[in-house]
């Protein structure tokens, strides 16, 4: 097969790069720009691996959101960057201000390491967190195709693209009117989605010298609750899973000096004093929590509650608190898909100024309203909080029948899951806008493009339910009117409900905004002829002004367990970048791509990073390619400058160092609520990387091709949000971050942003393509897969690198193998598509922190996850396209995991891997009016 024909075939099938024109078929020998290079050339195989997904493919898969699309990419990480996992307040990289947002994370290196572009240009990052582009802001209905550059650290687009580049290419030069509506309903109920879009355009660049088009897409996702799916079950102790929390709707009583659960101090040196706790007849152990339902074996008489499984967690949470306590499966309370409403508008006008020169104006606007719904708050009534349940209160719970040392002359301290206050509900509204004026064209064999743009993203958060003023709620609890021990079939009195309502805060809470002003330009063309062909070059510049601000509309310190970060007012920086690229034909069969980029950050410093790539095609059916480059990722505004935020760990934890010195002492061995602080770090260094890839593409028989690309990425000074749990676990190495009181107890743990030692990542991308014809029917088959060979990571400097592939981890899951495979058939007006999505299994998280023997029913391996989507399309009616599909054809439940909700959302399942919606039916109707 001729070189040109082979290259075009493989590229069109998405193995390497896009060669198609924006809408109409390209004229012969048209020069196009391939993602990963600024040099326009006759379309052919490039040196860099690029995957292309057309809008037609997106629609036939029943994909309605950009998040769903990105999750189908085998090169994308299996992490907590989706909307379900992001609906969390705890976790290794939990973003408390990105409710309703979702992000891409190529190679599992984090959203900040993936560069998301729109028509090859940057757009503003998420208005609240500022860390990366919110996928919800991408106008999916206006997309022509998506190009994924799997080779990172692009010297053309930015060396901050350590994981790679996702380039969304919009429709242009469209003429006509097209409307479409689609629905997707789950068989089990809940989580339905609706979408409507309108695309209209007029004018032809060839005949009218202009084209004006606009696209409007509106979609809506309905709520899906955890208790609507049977696999969301956090109480399966025989399999190694049970809730590790004693914050229950029927409250557990807590010990404390000056409360009903106290005993005389056994220390003979302190006569007449008391300590918190109680003892039982014949048992000298001093216990710290109690619940009458636990003593009776009736914890499960309250919905969602169970007897705390002490043996499963005895080395994680102190048995002194749990032996006679109830637990609550609050993981089943999580909202698996929360309500989202989106509207995206794109308008573009293109004007032919002269035969070879065009001007275009592009206006993009979007609004996303996402209602993040979290579980009800956990409240503690303590002496310090001045909210103990009073003696003489109507619901005073006398435990004398179970605890002889119970002192009913004292008020009660307790831990309560405040379901009666309601789910913590945040309404997050994000508005995105961008205006771009650009020019492009050519002077003979030289092409140019230039543009100036302004982009903004602003997020406003309202608290609509489940949050109370701290002082008001504590005073209400101390009144005794509110009952923290509501039994089965009972409810709060009207007076208590009114009192709870009077404590709530509802209204504007916080707001954030990012801005991006950009001027860019480039030229490309042929310099001169070499014996093997023309030496081509490109050079360009990129000037950006980035801004970020974050503020609170009220004093968050007054609201109990309020979300959000500390205020950061009007931070900005200037980025100046220049780059150059050469395409050098060394021999007839060997071509080299040389590129270099220099970035100068006004607040961070300057860096110069090279890139070199090659393509070698010794025969018509075989191509070799490879690349090597360096990357540079500057810290974000929030990572550098966000203020200190005080928080609490959700459960009683163990101070390993202190407990070893003071065994059995609760202040060390059963800490109730441990304070920790997070925030920015002005001493952060940029994250740097070295990476490369090498691979080949082969087409031994016409219509059948395969590509294999082995890649490696080494990062240094990786920017991560270190958790307090990491500090406590590694106390020997990180003891300077554990701040202690004079008596040796922990005052607080300093967590937050750090430069970790780094990571070393290796993997193989596989692409298979085939096509053929049987009588009148055409068929195509594809597979895009990623084999993760190794992901080694060190949490802090000096720690030995740990292998994470195939193991449970609280950030990303680094699965050994992921792929998407498809088989399509078309004949006349009919076409069908079958999609298989596969994710390999992994070693599960061990119960009890990995100490001791798990229960007999525990299986150490989480099974693989495979789903099938089937769709059929009919175009036999004039101007009409009908597509019907079934997603998750065999109604596969997510695989079971013994992970217990904290740090990563999901009780009994993991949303990083699986879709909780189950089998669903999609229907789409598209009609072209002209």
């Amino acid at each position: 097969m001729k070189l040109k024909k082979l290259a075009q075939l493989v590229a069109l099938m998405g193995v390497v790069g896009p060669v198609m024109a924006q809408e109409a078929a390209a004229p012969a020998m048209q020069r196009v720009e391939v993602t990963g290079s600024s040099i326009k050339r006759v379309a052919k195989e490039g040196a860099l691996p690029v995957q292309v997904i057309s809008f037609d493919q997106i629609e036939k898969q029943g994909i309605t959101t950009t998040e769903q699309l990105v999750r189908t990419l085998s090169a994308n990480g299996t992490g907590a960057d989706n909307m379900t996992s992001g609906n969390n307040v705890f976790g290794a990289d939990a973003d408390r201000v990105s409710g309703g947002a979702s992000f891409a994370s190529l190679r599992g290196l984090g959203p900040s390491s993936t560069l998301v572009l729109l028509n090859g240009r940057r757009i503003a990052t998420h208005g609240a967190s500022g860390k990366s582009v919110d996928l919800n802001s991408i106008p999916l209905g206006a997309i022509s195709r998506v190009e994924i550059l799997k080779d990172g650290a692009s010297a053309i687009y930015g060396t901050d693209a350590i994981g790679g580049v996702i380039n969304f290419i919009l429709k242009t030069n469209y003429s006509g009117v097209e409307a479409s509506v689609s629905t997707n309903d789950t068989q089990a109920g809940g989580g339905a989605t609706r979408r409507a879009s309108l695309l209209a355009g007029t004018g032809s660049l060839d005949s009218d010298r202009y084209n004006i088009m606009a696209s409007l897409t509106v979609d809506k996702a309905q709520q899906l609750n955890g208790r609507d799916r049977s696999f969301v079950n956090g109480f399966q102790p025989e399999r190694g899973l049970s809730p590790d929390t004693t914050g229950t709707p029927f409250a557990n009583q807590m010990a404390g000096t000056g409360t009903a659960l106290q005993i005389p101090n056994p220390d003979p040196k302190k006569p007449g004093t008391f300590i918190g706790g109680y003892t039982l007849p014949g048992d000298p152990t001093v216990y710290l929590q109690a619940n009458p339902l636990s003593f009776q074996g009736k914890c499960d008489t309250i919905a969602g509650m169970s007897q705390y499984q002490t043996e499963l967690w005895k080395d994680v949470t102190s048995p002194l608190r749990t032996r006679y306590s109830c637990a609550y499966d609050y993981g089943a309370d999580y909202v698996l898909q929360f309500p989202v409403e989106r509207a995206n508008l794109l308008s573009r006008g293109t004007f032919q100024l002269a035969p070879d020169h065009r001007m275009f104006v592009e206006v993009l606007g979007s609004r996303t309203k996402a209602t993040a719904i979290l579980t009800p708050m956990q409240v503690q009534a303590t002496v310090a909080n001045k909210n103990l349940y009073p003696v003489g209160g109507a619901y005073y719970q006398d435990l004398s029948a179970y605890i002889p040392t119970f002192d009913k002359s004292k008020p009660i301290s307790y831990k309560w899951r405040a379901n009666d206050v309601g789910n913590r509900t945040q309404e997050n509204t994000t508005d995105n806008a961008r205006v771009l004026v650009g020019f492009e064209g050519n002077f003979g064999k030289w092409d140019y493009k230039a543009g100036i743009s302004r982009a903004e993203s602003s997020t406003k958060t309202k608290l609509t339910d489940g949050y109370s003023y701290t002082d008001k709620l504590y005073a209400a609890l101390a009144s005794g009117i509110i009952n923290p021990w509501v039994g089965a079939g009972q409810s709060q009195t009207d007076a208590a409900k009114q009192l709870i309502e009077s404590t709530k805060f509802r209204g504007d809470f916080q707001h954030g905004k990012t801005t991006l002003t950009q001027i860019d330009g480039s030229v490309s063309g042929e310099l001169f002829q070499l014996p093997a062909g023309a030496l081509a070059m490109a050079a360009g510049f990129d000037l950006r002004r980035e801004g970020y601000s974050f503020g609170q509309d009220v004093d968050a310190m007054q609201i109990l367990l309020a979300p959000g970060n500390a205020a950061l007012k009007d931070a900005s920086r200037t980025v100046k970048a220049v780059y150059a690229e050469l395409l050098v034909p060394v021999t007839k069969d060997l071509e080299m791509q040389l590129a270099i980029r220099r970035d100068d950050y006004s607040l961070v410093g300057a860096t110069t990073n090279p890139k070199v790539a090659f393509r070698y095609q010794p025969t018509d059916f075989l191509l070799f390619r490879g690349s090597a480059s360096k990357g540079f990722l500057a810290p974000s505004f929030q990572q550098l400058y966000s203020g200190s935020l005080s928080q609490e760990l959700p459960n009683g934890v163990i101070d390993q160092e202190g407990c070893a010195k003071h065994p059995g002492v609760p202040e060390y061995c059963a800490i109730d609520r441990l304070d920790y602080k997070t925030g920015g770090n002005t001493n952060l260094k940029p994250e740097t990387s070295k990476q490369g890839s090498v691979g080949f593409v082969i087409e031994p028989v016409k219509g059948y091709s395969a590509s294999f690309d082995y890649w490696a990425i080494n990062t240094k000074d990786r920017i991560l949000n270190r958790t307090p749990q990491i500090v406590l676990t590694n106390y020997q190495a990180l003891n300077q971050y554990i701040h202690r009181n004079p008596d040796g107890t922990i005052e607080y743990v300093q967590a937050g942003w750090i430069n970790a030692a780094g990571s070393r990542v290796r993997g193989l991308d596989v692409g298979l393509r085939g096509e053929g014809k049987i009588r009148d029917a055409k068929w195509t088959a594809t597979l895009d897969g990623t084999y993760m060979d190794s992901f080694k990571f060190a949490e802090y400097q000096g720690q030995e690198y740990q292998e994470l592939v195939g193991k449970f981890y609280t950030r990303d899951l680094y699965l050994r193998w992921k792929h998407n495979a498809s088989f399509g058939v078309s004949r006349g007006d009919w076409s069908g598509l079958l999609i298989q999505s596969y994710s390999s299994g992994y070693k599960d998280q061990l119960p009890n922190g990995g100490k001791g023997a798990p229960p007999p029913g525990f299986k150490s391996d989480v099974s693989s996850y495979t789903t099938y989507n089937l769709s059929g399309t009919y175009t036999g009616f004039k101007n009409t396209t009908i597509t019907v599909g079934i997603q998750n054809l065999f109604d596969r439940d997510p695989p079971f995991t013994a992970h217990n909700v904290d740090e990563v959302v999901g009780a009994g399942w993991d949303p990083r891997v699986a879709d909780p919606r189950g089998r669903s039916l999609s229907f789409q109707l598209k009609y072209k009016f002209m």
Side-chain angles (χ1 to χ4, degrees), residues 780-858:
T780 60
T782 69
L783 182 144
D784 286 291
T786 296
Y787 177 85
M788 185 73 75
D789 181 45
S790 176
F791 196 113
K792 291 184 177 181
F793 171 66
E795 185 78 44
Y796 55 88
Q797 297 289 347
Q799 183 187 46
E800 185 178 350
Y801 278 75
Q802 305 172 54
E803 180 60 73
L804 300 177
V805 172
K807 301 177 182 178
F808 177 88
Y809 194 53
T810 55
R811 287 189 173 93
D812 278 37
L813 290 172
Y814 302 102
L815 304 182
R816 183 67 70 185
W817 173 259
K818 292 169 60 178
H819 77 246
N820 265 29
S822 70
F823 182 78
V825 179
S826 62
R827 179 184 180 187
D829 297 327
W830 294 90
S831 64
L833 182 66
L834 178 66
I835 301 286
Q836 181 199 62
S837 297
Y838 174 85
S839 298
S840 62
Y842 56 94
K843 293 294 182 182
D844 205 356
Q845 184 180 34
L846 294 174
N848 194 31
K851 299 178 181 178
F858 172 76

Side-chain angles (χ1 to χ4, degrees), residues 8 65 245 358 399 446 477 521 531 571 699 722 758 770 864 870:
Q8 289 178 340
T65 69
T245 178
R358 294 174 301 280
L399 298 185
W446 286 87
L477 296 176
E699 189 189 36
R722 182 178 54 211
S864 61
L870 178 65

Side-chain angles (χ1 to χ4, degrees), residues 24-25 27 173 203-211 350-352 355 358:
N173 198 26
S204 169
L205 288 177
D206 294 330
S207 58
D208 302 319
R209 300 173 60 86
Y210 76 91
N211 176 261
T350 308
F351 309 93
Q352 193 79 35
R358 294 174 301 280

Side-chain angles (χ1 to χ4, degrees), residues 535-728:
L535 175 68
M537 66 83 64
F541 69 92
D542 177 8
L543 305 178
R544 307 193 306 273
R545 181 70 173 177
E546 302 173 345
Y548 177 65
S549 63
F550 184 83
Q552 293 176 335
D553 302 299
V554 297
D555 183 0
M557 299 299 292
Q558 297 181 14
I559 302 170
L560 185 61
L561 297 180
N565 294 337
L568 174 60
K569 185 178 181 180
D570 296 332
S572 63
R573 66 185 177 198
T574 300
V575 184
K576 305 172 184 177
V578 293
Y579 61 88
E581 177 188 4
L582 285 176
L583 197 65
V584 184
V586 181
T587 67
K588 180 181 178 181
D589 302 323
L590 176 64
E591 181 179 88
M592 299 292 296
Q593 179 188 359
L594 308 175
I596 191 168
R597 182 184 179 96
R598 180 172 177 82
D599 295 90
D600 188 349
Y601 289 77
S602 60
L603 301 177
V604 179
T607 176
T608 301
N609 294 283
K611 183 163 192 169
V612 58
F614 76 91
R615 64 176 302 278
Y616 174 61
Q617 188 160 9
T619 67
D620 287 347
F621 62 85
L622 182 63
L623 169 84
F624 295 95
R625 62 189 177 197
S627 69
S629 61
K630 289 185 176 182
F632 175 93
L633 176 62
S636 71
F637 293 113
Q638 188 186 105
Q639 292 166 346
L640 286 169
Y641 304 120
S642 61
S644 179
L645 183 69
S646 296
Q647 302 175 66
E648 293 179 329
L649 286 174
N651 294 302
V653 297
I654 298 174
D655 172 8
Q656 296 185 39
E657 181 181 15
C659 190
K661 298 177 181 177
H662 307 276
V665 178
E667 288 78 9
Y668 300 95
C669 304
I671 304 172
D672 183 48
R673 299 290 280 186
L674 183 63
D675 293 331
Y676 70 97
K677 296 181 179 181
T678 61
N681 180 358
T682 56
N683 295 318
L684 284 177
K685 295 182 290 185
E687 180 178 325
T688 58
S689 69
K690 294 180 180 180
Q691 54 231 83
S693 66
V694 61
F696 66 92
V697 183
I698 186 171
E699 189 189 36
V701 179
K702 180 180 179 181
Y704 296 85
S705 65
S707 67
F708 299 88
D709 291 280
Y710 188 81
W711 49 269
I713 305 172
N714 290 347
T715 66
K716 182 181 178 182
D717 296 322
R718 190 176 174 193
I719 302 171
L720 289 177
N721 193 12
R722 182 178 54 211
T723 68
Q725 290 91 336
I726 291 294
V727 176
L728 292 170

Side-chain angles (χ1 to χ4, degrees), residues 246-254 261 278 288-299 301-302 305-307 321-327 397 399 402-403 415 484-485:
T246 56
T248 51
F250 190 95
N252 287 292
Q253 288 198 28
M254 298 169 56
L261 292 183
Y278 67 92
L288 303 175
Q289 285 185 188
N291 194 305
L293 297 179
S294 176
F295 286 115
Q296 301 172 55
K298 295 182 178 180
C299 288
T301 59
I302 306 296
M305 285 178 49
S306 59
Q307 174 62 46
R321 293 198 174 278
T322 65
R323 184 71 65 185
Y324 298 105
S325 293
C326 296
Q397 190 181 75
L399 298 185
Y402 309 100
I403 303 174
K415 185 183 294 184
W485 300 287

Side-chain angles (χ1 to χ4, degrees), residues 483-551:
N483 182 8
W485 300 287
V486 174
Q490 299 176 343
S491 62
Q492 298 285 350
T493 64
D494 289 340
K497 293 177 181 178
Q498 293 173 10
L499 183 57
I500 291 174
E501 185 63 30
S502 70
T503 70
K504 291 185 178 181
F505 170 82
R506 288 188 173 94
D508 295 338
F509 178 68
Q510 62 191 16
H511 57 274
K513 182 178 181 180
T514 63
T515 60
L516 174 64
T517 303
Q518 182 176 17
I519 302 175
D520 64 87
S522 67
V523 295
S524 67
E526 297 178 358
L527 290 175
F528 49 81
Q529 289 290 323
L530 294 175
L535 175 68
M537 66 83 64
F541 69 92
D542 177 8
L543 305 178
R544 307 193 306 273
R545 181 70 173 177
E546 302 173 345
Y548 177 65
S549 63
F550 184 83

